[in-house]
Amino acid sequence: MAIFGGTGRAGRVVVEQALQDGHEVSALTRNPSRIGPHAQLRVVGGDVRDPGAVALTLKGADAIISTLGRRRRGPDVCTEGIRTVLSAAAGNGPRRLIILSNYGVAESRNRTAYVTASWLLERAVLRDKEQMEALVRDSDTQWTVIRAPVLTNGPRTGSYRTGTDLRLSFTAKVSRADLADFMLTVLGENAYPRRAVVITS
């Protein structure tokens, strides 16, 4: 699998679990020294907005996982990065795409206090995720969008709730380890094709 965002806090956990589960992983990062080494890990140095680096990362992959995230002050890396990934994957590239997003965007942008507060505090981040989702939905990939609440550093418990219609409260959270577990489970079971699903502990 090709993983984008693999040196972020969530992405590192996805890479670790994927390798533990026996997958071969290709990961793109601007700082190769921050990841690996591992016999089943190929690290590609570069930026997710660089078509050449993305194409090299996708070479030989059967699926794509993205845990890209935008900083409060910075470029729209989720939108720009996924646009590059989708372009590079068009044609003979991987069709399966598992992508991390945030609860509160697109059709989950409901009128709850949780979502209202999220947009007040993280407007740029959520806008980037919403634009990213729009690109994914318009693609011909077999995508699954996973919308997460606040992420924590808790353990991998395997005990979490998921669903396409979950409405979250201020206390909603999930560990990065359980998020990674769910992303890999969705990939392995080919679950939720062309659907967005929410996860919470």
Side-chain angles (χ1 to χ4, degrees):
M1 66 181 68
I3 299 180
F4 297 94
T7 54
R9 287 182 293 177
R12 285 198 298 268
V13 182
V14 175
V15 170
E16 290 170 3
Q17 289 192 19
L19 293 172
Q20 290 170 6
D21 292 350
H23 295 284
E24 294 183 359
V25 174
S26 176
L28 175 64
T29 175
R30 288 176 294 177
N31 300 295
S33 62
R34 294 179 59 189
I35 188 171
H38 191 283
Q40 292 175 225
L41 172 65
R42 178 166 62 97
V43 180
V44 178
D47 191 283
V48 71
R49 294 164 292 183
D50 176 5
V54 170
L56 183 58
T57 307
L58 293 176
K59 187 176 181 180
D62 299 314
I64 303 166
I65 291 181
S66 171
T67 58
L68 292 172
R70 182 193 190 278
R71 299 182 184 276
R72 288 185 180 180
R73 297 177 181 177
D76 288 341
V77 68
C78 297
T79 304
E80 296 172 11
I82 287 301
R83 180 182 289 113
T84 307
V85 169
L86 291 172
S87 177
N92 297 323
R95 297 293 88 202
R96 191 67 171 112
L97 171 62
I98 313 295
I99 189 165
L100 174 63
S101 188
N102 287 53
Y103 181 75
V105 304
E107 74 276 6
S108 68
R109 192 172 176 174
N110 47 49
R111 295 180 180 276
T112 63
Y114 176 98
V115 173
T116 299
S118 296
W119 275 90
L120 285 173
L121 296 172
E122 302 283 355
R123 177 170 295 275
V125 172
L126 295 179
R127 185 189 63 239
D128 186 24
K129 292 285 190 178
E130 199 162 70
Q131 293 170 343
M132 173 194 70
E133 283 198 23
L135 291 175
V136 170
R137 288 172 178 273
D138 287 341
S139 74
D140 63 354
T141 61
Q142 285 295 306
W143 53 266
T144 298
V145 169
I146 298 177
R147 296 185 179 137
V150 173
L151 298 177
T152 72
N153 291 322
R156 182 182 189 177
T157 68
S159 178
Y160 45 81
R161 293 185 296 130
T162 62
T164 56
D165 297 316
L166 291 182
R167 293 171 70 90
L168 304 187
S169 68
F170 275 113
T171 60
K173 61 184 178 180
V174 70
S175 71
R176 294 179 179 87
D178 276 341
L179 170 67
D181 180 87
F182 182 55
M183 295 185 86
L184 293 171
T185 297
V186 167
L187 179 61
E189 297 179 354
N190 197 28
Y192 299 105
R194 299 186 70 83
R195 302 286 299 279
V197 57
V198 178
I199 180 173
T200 186
S201 60

